[in-house]
């Protein structure tokens, strides 16, 4: 069964599309499109990808990734047990290959996921694993995305209907 939830204001559109076992969380703001992909079961959530905010996007450090992860944490807590394992594999596939820049990207990526309470399990450089129980994840309730949009939007404010098809991401 598919479940689709929407939230929007005049400049920011968010859609959560749950097609078990996959969840797509999408956001459109200004000329930017962001997406988080998750796969879940009764006891596990795998973070497949976070797209649109990589090094070359110019959006790192502006809250775009935090917005999507905040949405994911809230949504998962509405229907999964608190002890559910949330995990994923970090990848530097889209990062520049220059060693100093690559190392800075890896450091920022680790700090980003750790700021939500995920632990980094060291592995091959650029392919470390992140892992935590859903209960241990922390939302970032303060701050703005790109200096003007809320980084935290309460899940209760989402609706199952888009006012019109133009809100669909």
């Amino acid at each position: 069964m598919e479940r689709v939830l929407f939230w929007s204001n005049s400049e920011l559109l968010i859609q959560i599309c749950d097609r078990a076992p996959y969840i797509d969380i999408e956001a459109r703001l200004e000329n930017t499109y962001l997406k988080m992909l998750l796969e879940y079961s009764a006891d596990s959530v795998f973070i497949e990808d976070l797209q649109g905010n990589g090094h070359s996007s110019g959006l790192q450090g502006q809250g775009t990734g935090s917005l999507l992860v905040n949405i994911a944490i809230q949504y998962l807590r509405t229907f999964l047990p608190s002890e559910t394992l949330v995990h994923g594999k970090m990848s530097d596939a889209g990062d520049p290959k220059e060693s100093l820049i690559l190392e800075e990207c890896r450091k920022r990526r680790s700090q980003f996921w750790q700021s939500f309470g995920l632990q980094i399990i060291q592995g091959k450089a650029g392919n470390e694993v992140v892992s935590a129980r859903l209960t241990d994840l922390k939302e970032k309730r303060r701050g703005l995305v790109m200096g003007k949009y809320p980084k935290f939007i309460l899940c209760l404010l989402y609706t199952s209907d888009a006012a019109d098809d133009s809100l669909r991401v």
Side-chain angles (χ1 to χ4, degrees), residues 29 32 34 52-53 59-60 62-69 145-146:
L29 57 152
T32 302
L34 307 158
N53 64 332
L59 295 173
Q60 283 189 338
Q62 294 192 45
T64 56
S66 294
L67 171 67
L68 295 179
V69 176
V145 176
M146 299 172 69

Side-chain angles (χ1 to χ4, degrees), residues 141-157:
R141 293 182 175 252
R142 294 192 173 138
L144 296 173
V145 176
M146 299 172 69
K148 56 184 166 180
Y149 307 107
K151 191 182 285 188
F152 182 85
I153 302 164
L154 194 62
C155 257
L156 295 173
L157 300 176

Side-chain angles (χ1 to χ4, degrees), residues 89-92 106 120-129:
K89 190 189 311 185
M90 295 191 300
S91 171
D92 61 8
R106 288 176 178 163
I120 309 298
I121 301 167
Q122 294 302 319
K124 181 182 170 197
N127 287 299
E128 295 83 2
V129 171

Side-chain angles (χ1 to χ4, degrees), residues 125-143:
N127 287 299
E128 295 83 2
V129 171
V130 295
S131 179
R133 296 288 172 192
L134 187 54
T135 192
D136 297 324
L137 295 181
K138 302 175 281 195
E139 297 139 340
K140 296 180 182 179
R141 293 182 175 252
R142 294 192 173 138

Side-chain angles (χ1 to χ4, degrees), residues 93-108:
D95 292 342
K97 299 307 175 204
E98 182 186 326
S99 62
L100 289 177
I101 297 172
L102 181 60
E103 195 54 43
E104 181 61 28
C105 289
R106 288 176 178 163
K107 180 181 173 185
R108 289 182 70 132

